[in-house]
Amino acid sequence: MFAMLCSITMSAQTADKLYAEGKALYDAKDYGKAIVKLKAAAEKGHKKAQYRLGFCYDKGRGVSENDTQAFQWYSKSAAQGYAKAQYQLGKCYKNGEGTQKDRAKAVALFTKAANQGNANAQYELGKCYLKGKGVPQSDSKAKSLIKKALADDKDGKEIMDDIRKDAAKGDEDAKRILTLIK
């Protein structure tokens, strides 16, 4: 029993170490080397490595862009409850990238991630409520979710900058959001 516990612990440490090394390489923009470490950690079940590997396939960083692979890795990470992966998987379902479009699954995933405090998911879910896409239209729910997203210390400013840029380009949804959140 002790040997089995040690083996499990060593495997987890190895996956954590591989992920940490892969993330450091990714952050240094050495995507080719990062992929090797991230894939090894992802194959051991590391949810953050699975998410990041999915993101690499999604954006073509260190590998050829491949929506199907991105979808598969996001799915594995999301199944472990990782909010960033749930958000990205929701986008896959919303846009039909790597899978068939499915608004109900997108909304369910955005909701899971939003409930964990993911600002991007809160914003996407807010837009769903604003337009009544996959959920009943509700300005009050849209406003609440979008305001939560904008209050986020990490991503709120970037989300607001994107809304303003889109509104300046004439995007009607972005203009409506700016009016709604006043």
Side-chain angles (χ1 to χ4, degrees):
M1 185 69 137
F2 178 74
M4 189 171 99
L5 285 174
C6 287
S7 174
I8 291 169
T9 302
M10 294 293 254
S11 177
Q13 289 173 344
T14 302
D16 288 342
K17 184 177 180 197
L18 287 166
Y19 171 70
E21 292 170 358
K23 185 176 181 313
L25 290 163
Y26 180 93
D27 292 344
K29 297 186 182 347
D30 192 349
Y31 302 124
K33 289 181 183 173
I35 289 293
V36 174
K37 301 283 188 175
L38 292 172
K39 188 167 187 181
E43 288 172 345
K44 291 180 178 288
H46 195 284
K47 67 184 178 185
K48 290 182 180 181
Q50 291 168 339
Y51 158 75
R52 185 140 333 246
L53 187 59
F55 198 79
C56 287
Y57 279 108
D58 194 0
K59 304 300 179 193
R61 294 185 178 159
V63 292
S64 296
E65 192 173 312
N66 185 321
D67 289 343
T68 302
Q69 284 291 312
F71 176 82
Q72 290 173 354
W73 287 111
Y74 286 151
S75 294
K76 290 178 184 200
S77 181
Q80 295 187 66
Y82 193 52
K84 287 182 179 182
Q86 290 169 335
Y87 162 68
Q88 290 294 343
L89 189 59
K91 282 179 45 181
C92 290
Y93 279 114
K94 176 186 169 204
N95 300 322
E97 296 171 348
T99 189
Q100 294 292 318
K101 282 187 180 184
D102 188 326
R103 182 63 70 168
K105 286 183 181 178
V107 167
L109 287 157
F110 291 151
T111 301
K112 285 180 182 182
N115 288 341
Q116 292 182 64
N118 183 285
N120 290 305
Q122 291 166 340
Y123 177 62
E124 282 296 325
L125 187 58
K127 289 193 310 184
C128 292
Y129 277 104
L130 185 69
K131 296 175 85 173
K133 298 271 186 160
V135 292
Q137 195 284 331
S138 170
D139 282 356
S140 64
K141 285 185 180 180
K143 182 177 181 176
S144 174
L145 285 160
I146 293 169
K147 282 193 162 200
K148 275 184 189 177
L150 295 175
D152 184 77
D153 291 338
K154 184 176 179 214
D155 295 317
K157 183 184 179 319
E158 184 178 332
I159 292 168
M160 186 59 166
D161 290 345
D162 288 344
I163 294 168
R164 287 186 177 130
K165 285 178 196 171
D166 290 344
K169 292 178 190 173
D171 183 299
E172 293 302 319
D173 291 337
K175 289 178 184 180
R176 187 169 171 211
I177 289 169
L178 288 176
T179 302
L180 182 71
I181 62 173
K182 284 186 181 181

